[in-house]
Amino acid sequence: MLTEIMDREFVYSGHVGCPGCGATIAMRFVLKALGEKTIMVLPACCWSVITGPYPLSALKIPVIHAAFETGGATASGVRAALDMMGDTETTVLTWAGDGGTFDIGFQALSGAVERNENFLYVCYDNEAYMNTGIQRSSSTPYGAWTTTTTGQDWKRLRKKNIVEVLVAHRIPYVATASIAFPDDLLRKTQKARETKGSKFIHIYASCPTGWRIPSEMSVKIARMAVQTNIFPLYEVEDGRKYTINYKPKEYLVREYFKLQGRFKHLTDQDLDQIQQMVNEDWELLLHKAGDRS
Amino acid sequence: MNEAKNPNPLFMPITYLTTESNKTGSWRFLHPQYDEKTSPCSVACPAGEDIARIEMLASQGLFKEAWETILRENPFPSVCGRVCFHPCEGQCNRRELDMAVAIHSLERFLADTAIRYGIKPVLEKRPSQKQRIAVIGAGPAGLSAAWFLSMLGYACHVFEASAEAGGVLRWGIPLYRLPLNALLHDIQQVEAQGVTIYTGKPVSPDVLEIMKKDYDAVFIGCGHGRGMSMNVPGEDLKEVSEGLDFLRKLREGETPPCQGVSAIIGGGNTAIDVARSVVRLGGKALLLYRRRRQDMPALELEVEMALEEGVKLQELVAPAAVARDEDQVVLTLQEMKIAGDEGGRARVAPDEGKTRKVRIDRIFKAIGAQADEPRHQPPAGDEGLLSLSHTVLVRGNQGPVMVFGGDLTNETKSVVHAVASGKEAAMALDTLFREGFEAIVPKLEACRVGEGPSLSMEIYMGGQRRLRNPHVVRYEEINTDYFGFIPRVIQPRLLKEERVQSFEEIDLKISANLAMKESERCFNCGLCNQCDNCFIYCPDTSVMRDKDHQGRHINYDYCKGCGLCVVECPRNAMSLREEES
Amino acid sequence: MKRVLEGSHAVAEAVRLAKVQVISAYPITPQTHIVEILSEYCTKGMMKAKFLRVESEHSCMAALIGAQSTGVRTFTATSGQGLALMHELLHWAAGARLPIVMAEVNRALAPGWNIWVDQTDSLAQRDTGWIQMYCEDGQEVLDSTLQAFRLAEVVNLPVMIVLDAFYLSHTYEPVEVPSQEEVDQFLPPFEPKFRLDTAHPCGFGPLVAPGDYMEMRYHIAMAMEEALDRFDEIEAAFAAQFNRRYGPVEAIDCEDADIVFITTGTVTSTCRLVLQDLRAKGEKVGILKLKLLRPFPTEQIREKLRSVKKVAVVDRNFSFGASGIFAQEVRAALCNMPVHPTVFGFVAGIGGRDVTPELLEMIYWQTKTSDVPQKESVWMGLREVKNVD
């Protein structure tokens, strides 16, 4: 553990995140790694609320709340202004949820990284529109219940592979990270901070409220997502160089799904199918990383 | 809102205060708390050593502190690190993940390290008390009693009949298992604590009467030194002798004759010690045991090494008669058959009509021992008698209280049980002097480790350990996500070819590096090792750092009671309960 | 120095002279000439500014919100569909009290595609909290753009400089371009009242509960009112230095007029010719040119029209289901006067159609010969369209 980094704190108590909120854990980690010379662009997401109502802020860094779809663009402006003021030291961080990244903010994100704007975009992914009450997003995984995919109409479409989309932009650094692997997350954030150009980190941030899991299980679930290959930890440099950071032993996705209320309707057959999908994705990743020829 | 604090000239949506005014603790309906619990190893240790903590300190390189933590509960780490049968490892939760932590090797490492660097322990000691206590017998029980009594502030005088202190440790265990230095160090440690040992001072009944006038209590821990009888014809032949006497001669420096074949009757550690010593002296050893190998009370590893070294074993045979035949003896053996089960071991009975004979040169008996003299046994009856788990207190109408301990009262005769006995005696006497006879049992009950049979002196003396929850941590309560497979350290040993050449110690010391790695394998069940997971994962920034021993506390003004800290505590040192409304 | 410039280039010259630090733009006809030349200025180092070539107008405004919040002077230009796409963020910029300046080239909204002049795009942004200035010619564009930065930064509200597609954006005229020293004297460097600053961390634009939100909106309303006074002061300062002044409204021959045209943008210039002809014929006619839509110069309008009998409002825009938008505004401004002129509303030049002197004269005669308006809005110059059964 990078002790002195872990010891610093940029999130005040008293914020209004739900008990066990994974997004809040992710925020604490990322800010520890980035430090005080950071300006945050915060498009609409859970954290817009978590940070507290006027005149309160739970964050010890400057924050600009932004319209839902503007994470990439607003950050471009902040960066441009800082550059004009001669400040190249401060990190511009966009902190967006999956809705603001995969869906409504996708264009602005794609635009910003295509321009290779010098900023870090972090998507904390809780796999649905949680802030508005658990509606499905293009990040919602196959099999999940949400308030807009109810009953037998559960989501029967795959989650968008946002990381590969970003990799396709050939930006200097793309990584996945998990709240259950703090060392890895801190390292990647620091690496991103030291890399010039556009950086994207996709953080798996469990949501006890939306996933129908007990609050104390949120890190455990996040860890299982990695252990089951549902959310592999890897990083890609310059759109080409893949490094897989964690290779789990055989571990069945079934265990992960069983613990979550949002998947309780799934049959054994569904789970077998999901296992196949996960295996397929993992094989594909291994190919890209050069671990399979 | 406090507009006076708003630094912005415009009234617009810009924050200027922190959320700390929002006391989210009011959301909480579950209450996480630091709640250190009890490790199963420490419950299994008859001396109640705080093993989980010892290994935690060792893993941090705090070898002195780890060693002192042993000394609080056991004055014989150097000895026990070599000869203890380590029931702790049998209960280690880590067995369910891979293999038990090598607690035994680590204990020895810590003791050896202390010896090598001449470290002096710094231990809590109560102020001097007026009572004086005599201890008869400088074996592990007597010396332990003296050690703990001295910690509690009592002047202790130990009277030992032999020329040197140590009892069975000095005279009954071969050097290849327990080198002299290893023993002497522990004894010197006891003396350094302020205990006076008088050697060559047998206590006759007359002397005891005089003693009773000078002392407020007498601890009797003379041990079991006299062999049991086989009750077979020919037992009196000069070729038949006691295994313990053979070992004693060896330790006194003699080289008893061993040429030819020596039969050793028995299956305990003494039998194995004798057999292996015979081999080292150039003889052949034939081990005869009435049950099967797996039923032997001797340590399995000892048996295995004995067989490797050339000791022969015949199972399911009992001596029936001994006769001389020219310059050899003929031992008639009754073959035994399995007739049931008693406590996991085979119950055997003679297989009638089946006998066989072996021709040998001598016989060593190692079938158990008893007190040298009947007066060493606690009296029968229950008038003024208090039978505790490892000791018996006898309180007459006048004169000092007598405490019988060690092998005299222990069901299991082992070094660590002797330590337990000495500790129990010390606690019982202290309680008796301070609070009276009736207080003894409840007081001892309050000092049990995890409500098991073992006693903790640290708890008795009011140390931090008393705050622990007696709940014994189970494997399922460990968050094994934090513990990957790590192979157990392999205890380095002399090769068997080297072993049989001499009485050199077989087990070699492990390096500090290996010791630290091994101690890191320990789950530290139920203890906080300051891993910081609670701080790291708290979504509410509600785990605060402190400078005290605990190192952190929960800020209940903000803690929402999500319980993450409790689940992510790798070692179950926290717990979650319902919030009191 | 006098130069012959397109209206678009007049904007660009002003932006260069204002030492804007961050420009963000997305191309749309007929705004392109503004941003092309600015891009070139940045590339050539004629301006020390960062030019963000964003992927949409929405992102363009978002980027400026980010940049302006960080404490630099910013500018963009857009038109028609682009402005419509920005809509959400126009509210945002004003609510965040950001002095962003934007040139907006009036363009008709699709469908069908129409790149020619029509004011409905900018008027649809009337309630976003932006100051809007409608300009008549290249000089006014340049001067207003310079004034816009100063006004925006004083009241912390964004300003939109509005110019007609092609008739102004692509029309060359002689324009007096002031020197950098002169402009520096008029427009000091931007001093933000608040900015994203790691040394003084604040959260901009958080959740605001009903207990505070209404007051914050009221403060925007007050700032908009204040803008009228500030505009006057800034114009005075500008006039003192450059000897040019426009006013929130310009009254031409209104003192003795019975009928007054109310116009905006380039239609005003055409109307000036018509005015000469009508005056020559002895008609008592005048023009009231509206420059400011927001803040709306109600008092000035009332003052100028105190003794006028009829006004003819020419709207190059329309609010479906109601009337021309400037006509609505004028009616609302006048209705509480005890005695006020009758308001005749005319819709003309929609989607880039010519507003000719003849058409304006027709408007005049129709107004003069009617006691009351035939309708709230009369559409002028409509061709007959056959309905297909």
Side-chain angles (χ1 to χ4, degrees):
Chain A
M1 184 66 59
L2 315 140
T3 312
E4 63 273 32
I5 287 163
M6 199 35 111
D7 279 0
R8 51 189 188 178
E9 192 59 63
F10 297 92
V11 177
Y12 288 109
S13 295
H15 65 70
V16 296
C18 300
C21 172
T24 306
I25 298 171
M27 177 70 91
R28 289 186 62 221
F29 290 162
V30 166
L31 293 189
K32 282 168 190 285
L34 293 180
E36 64 205 9
K37 284 285 201 185
T38 305
I39 293 178
M40 182 185 294
V41 174
L42 187 58
C45 60
C46 281
W47 252 101
S48 312
V49 176
I50 293 172
T51 189
Y54 172 87
L56 311 179
S57 175
L59 296 165
K60 296 186 196 178
I61 55 161
V63 177
I64 175 168
H65 291 256
F68 208 167
E69 63 282 43
T70 66
T74 309
S76 307
V78 173
R79 176 81 269 161
L82 288 174
D83 288 350
M84 285 310 297
M85 294 159 79
D87 179 354
T88 50
E89 185 194 356
T90 298
T91 304
V92 178
L93 165 70
T94 298
W95 182 264
D98 48 295
T101 304
F102 288 62
D103 293 347
I104 195 168
F106 185 66
Q107 171 183 321
L109 166 61
S110 174
V113 302
E114 182 272 334
R115 297 189 297 275
N116 200 23
E117 301 283 1
N118 184 20
F119 81 125
L120 168 61
Y121 192 109
V122 172
C123 169
Y124 69 96
D125 185 1
N126 50 29
E127 303 195 320
Y129 291 89
M130 295 312 182
N131 199 19
T132 45
I134 324 170
Q135 293 84 13
R136 69 86 96 179
S137 74
S138 62
S139 172
T140 302
Y142 184 94
W145 161 91
T146 67
T147 54
T148 49
T149 51
T150 53
Q152 275 313 296
D153 199 19
W154 48 266
K155 188 172 171 189
R156 288 169 199 269
L157 297 165
R158 274 176 183 257
K159 177 185 173 108
K160 184 190 284 183
N161 191 335
I162 195 73
V163 171
E164 292 306 318
V165 175
L166 269 294
V167 167
H169 285 73
R170 290 282 186 109
I171 59 176
Y173 189 64
V174 179
T176 65
S178 165
I179 55 166
F181 293 79
D183 286 357
D184 180 74
L185 197 160
L186 259 58
R187 179 186 66 76
K188 285 170 175 168
T189 310
Q190 286 196 305
K191 182 166 180 176
R193 194 173 79 94
E194 282 146 26
T195 304
K196 279 263 171 292
S198 294
K199 289 82 62 173
F200 181 87
I201 301 183
H202 181 203
I203 302 182
Y204 181 98
S206 18
C207 172
T209 310
W211 296 1
R212 305 297 194 233
I213 57 171
S215 58
E216 69 272 19
M217 293 298 283
S218 65
V219 170
K220 173 91 185 160
I221 294 277
R223 188 180 298 113
M224 288 178 81
V226 174
Q227 290 169 334
T228 53
N229 281 334
I230 287 169
F231 191 89
L233 293 181
Y234 68 108
E235 54 198 320
V236 187
E237 287 158 88
D238 300 318
R240 292 195 311 273
K241 193 179 159 229
Y242 280 72
T243 310
I244 299 175
N245 310 110
Y246 181 93
K247 287 191 186 165
K249 294 191 283 263
E250 281 298 308
Y251 215 120
L252 294 179
V253 298
R254 195 170 296 258
E255 303 301 315
Y256 169 84
F257 281 82
K258 268 191 338 207
L259 288 171
Q260 303 181 49
R262 62 174 171 157
F263 297 121
K264 69 170 183 220
H265 49 272
L266 297 179
T267 62
D268 281 354
Q269 211 179 350
D270 296 329
L271 291 171
D272 287 345
Q273 195 189 341
I274 290 168
Q275 180 73 61
Q276 262 183 2
M277 290 159 74
V278 169
N279 292 351
E280 230 174 80
D281 288 351
W282 175 246
E283 282 298 316
L284 200 59
L285 179 61
L286 288 173
H287 270 285
K288 288 175 182 164
D291 292 4
R292 290 273 195 285
S293 50
Chain B
M1 290 304 167
N2 187 356
E3 286 303 326
K5 286 190 179 170
N6 189 349
N8 188 11
L10 303 171
F11 187 65
M12 57 180 289
I14 295 185
T15 66
Y16 54 91
L17 298 172
T18 80
T19 46
E20 282 170 320
S21 57
N22 187 23
K23 299 284 169 30
T24 50
S26 62
W27 303 13
R28 192 175 58 245
F29 56 91
L30 289 174
H31 185 96
Q33 61 192 5
Y34 292 101
D35 182 17
E36 289 200 315
K37 302 183 188 69
T38 305
S39 60
C41 50
S42 66
V43 178
C45 173
E49 285 182 26
D50 194 356
I51 297 165
R53 180 162 173 77
I54 293 164
E55 307 317 353
M56 182 199 301
L57 292 166
S59 70
Q60 294 163 356
L62 299 171
F63 298 146
K64 173 174 181 278
E65 289 75 5
W67 177 62
E68 288 168 345
T69 306
I70 302 175
L71 290 177
R72 281 192 194 98
E73 306 293 356
N74 180 352
F76 289 105
S78 175
V79 170
C80 286
R82 290 172 164 85
V83 302
C84 183
F85 69 110
H86 47 78
C88 49
E89 293 188 18
Q91 295 303 312
C92 177
N93 274 330
R94 180 133 195 153
R95 284 172 313 148
E96 304 204 25
L97 184 72
D98 43 31
M99 290 171 87
V101 174
I103 301 168
H104 183 60
S105 301
L106 287 167
E107 181 167 38
R108 167 166 169 202
F109 165 81
L110 292 170
D112 284 1
T113 304
I115 294 171
R116 181 199 263 188
Y117 295 105
I119 297 169
K120 300 279 171 263
V122 179
L123 299 170
E124 304 75 22
K125 195 170 171 176
R126 284 239 188 104
S128 289
Q129 307 293 313
K130 64 180 194 304
Q131 289 90 349
R132 289 152 46 87
I133 293 150
V135 172
I136 302 174
L143 289 178
S144 295
W147 166 264
F148 290 114
L149 282 163
S150 147
M151 255 186 195
L152 293 170
Y154 297 96
C156 277
H157 297 154
V158 181
F159 298 91
E160 169 57 46
S162 301
E164 287 177 46
V168 70
L169 305 175
R170 176 65 186 83
W171 310 114
I173 298 180
L175 287 168
Y176 62 83
R177 283 178 65 202
L178 181 60
L180 189 57
N181 269 342
L183 170 65
L184 290 182
H185 182 269
D186 283 351
I187 295 173
Q188 282 157 11
Q189 202 69 64
V190 174
E191 289 179 301
Q193 178 83 355
V195 172
T196 313
I197 304 174
Y198 299 102
T199 51
K201 299 279 182 201
V203 178
S204 65
D206 297 345
V207 174
L208 183 60
E209 285 313 308
I210 297 164
M211 259 184 197
K212 283 180 177 175
K213 295 194 177 69
D214 290 350
Y215 293 94
D216 298 278
V218 179
F219 177 85
I220 302 169
C222 305
H224 280 178
R226 197 156 59 90
M228 312 276 267
S229 170
M230 296 193 289
N231 295 319
V232 298
E235 191 173 350
D236 302 336
L237 291 173
K238 72 172 174 46
E239 285 83 0
V240 180
S241 58
E242 278 298 329
L244 274 175
D245 292 343
F246 168 78
L247 293 174
R248 185 177 184 106
K249 277 184 190 144
L250 271 176
R251 294 297 311 267
E252 281 170 346
E254 290 182 33
T255 310
C258 276
Q259 67 279 26
V261 180
S262 305
I264 300 103
I265 318 285
N269 282 318
T270 301
I272 304 294
D273 288 348
V274 172
R276 296 179 73 189
S277 296
V278 164
V279 170
R280 277 161 178 72
L281 293 170
K284 288 195 169 68
L286 175 61
L287 197 56
L288 302 168
Y289 184 47
R290 56 203 296 266
R291 304 189 218 217
R292 299 164 306 174
R293 178 178 167 183
Q294 62 263 44
D295 302 318
M296 285 182 164
L299 295 175
E300 167 57 26
L301 180 67
E302 291 288 313
V303 179
E304 188 186 318
M305 287 198 288
L307 297 178
E308 280 172 13
E309 289 164 9
V311 172
K312 298 284 180 254
L313 168 66
Q314 289 191 17
E315 300 169 293
L316 293 167
V317 286
V322 187
R324 178 174 291 127
D325 181 19
E326 298 184 352
D327 54 351
Q328 283 191 304
V329 287
V330 173
L331 173 59
T332 306
L333 296 169
Q334 168 66 52
E335 295 191 11
M336 308 295 281
K337 63 180 181 190
I338 296 168
D341 177 90
E342 51 185 21
R345 298 165 76 196
R347 187 164 58 79
V348 291
D351 195 355
E352 293 303 337
K354 290 192 180 171
T355 58
R356 63 176 192 259
K357 290 182 168 42
V358 288
R359 257 182 108 77
I360 48 184
D361 294 284
R362 68 193 68 74
I363 295 171
F364 293 117
K365 293 189 291 176
I367 55 171
Q370 55 193 326
D372 286 336
E373 294 181 50
R375 68 186 174 90
H376 292 163
Q377 293 289 1
D382 48 27
E383 187 64 23
L385 214 72
L386 178 62
S387 285
L388 299 170
S389 50
H390 298 88
T391 51
V392 174
L393 257 77
V394 183
R395 191 176 53 152
N397 291 332
Q398 59 202 24
V401 61
M402 306 288 286
V403 186
F404 295 83
D407 282 357
L408 300 177
T409 52
N410 272 339
E411 200 174 312
T412 309
K413 322 291 183 199
S414 83
V415 182
V416 69
H417 282 91
V419 171
S421 174
K423 186 192 289 182
E424 188 177 68
M427 289 180 180
L429 286 173
D430 183 61
T431 307
L432 175 69
F433 294 147
R434 288 162 162 267
E435 299 174 42
F437 193 75
E438 300 304 325
I440 294 175
V441 171
K443 186 85 181 184
L444 292 189
E445 282 313 306
C447 298
R448 299 273 173 215
V449 176
E451 292 171 350
S454 311
L455 292 164
S456 163
M457 183 55 81
E458 188 183 341
I459 296 175
Y460 185 82
M461 290 176 76
Q464 291 289 345
R465 206 178 167 187
R466 78 182 194 287
L467 302 174
R468 295 214 193 126
N469 187 329
H471 173 81
V472 181
V473 176
R474 298 189 309 272
Y475 177 70
E476 306 76 59
E477 295 169 341
I478 296 293
N479 188 337
T480 48
D481 286 330
Y482 291 99
F483 302 99
F485 172 82
I486 308 168
R488 174 185 157 112
V489 70
I490 295 168
Q491 171 68 51
R493 296 203 165 88
L494 296 181
L495 299 174
K496 73 169 191 274
E497 291 79 7
E498 294 172 290
R499 296 202 302 249
V500 295
Q501 303 286 321
S502 74
F503 283 83
E504 275 296 302
E505 184 170 23
I506 292 171
D507 284 0
L508 304 173
K509 195 184 160 187
I510 57 173
S511 70
N513 189 22
L514 275 183
M516 281 176 76
K517 279 195 179 140
E518 182 61 20
S519 53
E520 277 170 21
R521 290 180 69 239
C522 177
F523 292 162
N524 312 120
C525 298
L527 295 195
C528 171
N529 78 342
Q530 321 242 344
C531 76
D532 250 354
N533 272 5
C534 50
F535 166 82
I536 290 169
Y537 288 117
C538 177
D540 298 310
T541 323
S542 299
V543 172
M544 306 318 218
R545 290 267 176 64
D546 296 326
K547 290 202 172 86
D548 68 1
H549 116 102
Q550 186 71 58
R552 47 190 64 68
H553 73 272
I554 294 171
N555 186 343
Y556 293 107
D557 277 354
Y558 301 109
C559 166
K560 294 170 187 159
C562 70
L564 258 177
C565 50
V566 178
V567 169
E568 293 310 316
C569 177
R571 26 190 69 79
N572 194 16
M574 297 188 77
S575 62
L576 198 60
R577 63 168 169 79
E578 283 203 12
E579 190 66 51
E580 287 144 19
S581 51
Chain C
M1 189 176 82
K2 257 299 192 255
R3 290 170 59 192
V4 178
L5 296 177
E6 264 188 6
S8 295
H9 295 167
V11 174
E13 287 308 301
V15 170
R16 176 180 63 80
L17 291 164
K19 294 187 173 166
V20 165
Q21 291 151 290
V22 173
I23 300 166
S24 173
Y26 184 82
I28 180 168
T29 305
Q31 148 266 36
T32 43
H33 288 190
I34 302 173
V35 297
E36 281 167 4
I37 202 160
L38 285 172
S39 171
E40 196 180 325
Y41 285 171
C42 291
T43 306
K44 286 183 175 164
M46 293 166 67
M47 276 188 82
K48 205 167 162 286
K50 172 104 179 169
F51 193 105
L52 287 168
R53 293 155 183 96
V54 288
E55 82 294 341
S56 76
E57 285 88 354
H58 196 279
S59 285
C60 163
M61 186 49 62
L64 291 195
I65 287 168
Q68 190 76 47
S69 300
T70 311
V72 298
R73 194 169 275 165
T74 66
F75 173 79
T76 186
T78 191
S79 191
Q81 307 294 133
L83 186 69
L85 182 57
M86 276 184 192
H87 174 75
E88 178 198 20
L89 296 176
L90 299 182
H91 283 284
W92 198 289
R97 308 299 301 273
L98 298 173
I100 296 167
V101 172
M102 166 161 66
E104 142 66 11
V105 185
N106 277 140
R107 165 181 161 168
L109 291 161
W113 287 118
N114 181 307
I115 59 172
W116 295 276
V117 64
D118 188 307
Q119 295 169 321
T120 309
D121 60 344
S122 59
L123 290 170
Q125 311 305 333
R126 186 186 63 178
D127 302 331
T128 55
W130 282 61
I131 293 168
Q132 289 196 9
M133 297 182 185
Y134 288 79
C135 298
E136 186 182 347
D137 58 26
Q139 189 67 57
E140 187 177 4
V141 161
L142 186 144
D143 295 347
S144 299
T145 304
L146 289 173
Q147 291 166 4
F149 286 104
R150 197 159 143 180
L151 179 62
E153 290 164 16
V154 167
V155 296
N156 273 94
L157 286 175
V159 179
M160 200 183 288
I161 302 295
V162 188
L163 52 157
D164 290 352
F166 302 108
Y167 294 122
L168 183 47
S169 65
H170 287 55
T171 302
Y172 282 88
E173 294 174 281
V175 175
E176 174 66 37
V177 181
S179 70
Q180 186 66 62
E181 292 71 30
E182 288 171 316
V183 173
D184 287 350
Q185 199 189 330
F186 171 73
L187 182 65
F190 175 45
E191 292 275 353
K193 296 191 188 78
F194 53 86
R195 67 182 183 89
L196 293 165
D197 180 2
T198 54
H200 301 98
C202 292
F204 290 23
L207 179 74
V208 180
D212 288 306
Y213 183 85
M214 192 160 165
E215 283 73 14
M216 288 177 184
R217 292 282 133 170
Y218 180 64
H219 277 248
I220 297 172
M222 289 200 302
M224 202 49 116
E225 273 183 37
E226 186 194 344
L228 266 183
D229 297 336
R230 297 291 181 201
F231 179 66
D232 195 50
E233 289 166 21
I234 290 165
E235 275 215 313
F238 190 84
Q241 200 181 338
F242 299 104
N243 203 24
R244 288 189 296 277
R245 186 164 186 162
Y246 304 89
V249 296
E250 182 189 353
I252 308 134
D253 293 348
C254 289
E255 294 80 4
D256 63 340
D258 291 332
I259 296 175
V260 166
F261 283 101
I262 297 184
T263 59
T264 50
T266 54
V267 171
T268 310
S269 298
T270 314
C271 204
R272 286 180 200 268
L273 287 174
V274 174
L275 178 75
Q276 283 177 12
D277 291 351
L278 290 173
R279 275 280 170 181
K281 290 174 189 162
E283 295 298 321
K284 286 187 163 181
V285 59
I287 301 172
L288 188 71
K289 167 185 157 187
L290 286 183
K291 179 187 178 85
L292 285 181
L293 169 73
R294 285 290 180 272
F296 197 67
T298 303
E299 284 310 314
Q300 288 86 340
I301 291 170
R302 287 179 178 172
E303 171 62 28
K304 302 293 182 196
L305 300 179
R306 193 161 297 280
S307 53
V308 172
K309 294 191 178 62
K310 293 175 181 171
V311 295
V313 185
V314 185
D315 270 302
R316 202 167 215 164
N317 61 76
F318 195 70
S319 172
F320 297 111
S323 74
I325 295 165
F326 283 110
Q328 288 180 41
E329 294 281 334
V330 170
R331 279 187 208 105
L334 300 178
C335 73
N336 281 344
M337 292 169 77
V339 179
H340 59 75
T342 306
V343 178
F344 289 73
F346 297 93
V347 176
I350 295 292
R353 189 170 297 185
D354 260 358
V355 179
T356 60
E358 295 71 27
L359 189 83
L360 291 170
E361 265 193 58
M362 279 170 67
I363 287 172
Y364 175 76
W365 293 117
Q366 201 176 115
T367 306
K368 187 169 180 183
T369 53
S370 311
D371 292 336
V372 290
Q374 297 167 2
K375 296 171 77 175
E376 291 297 280
S377 289
V378 176
W379 287 60
M380 297 300 291
L382 282 180
R383 291 190 294 108
E384 198 174 329
V385 180
K386 281 185 185 151
N387 290 326
V388 179
D389 292 328

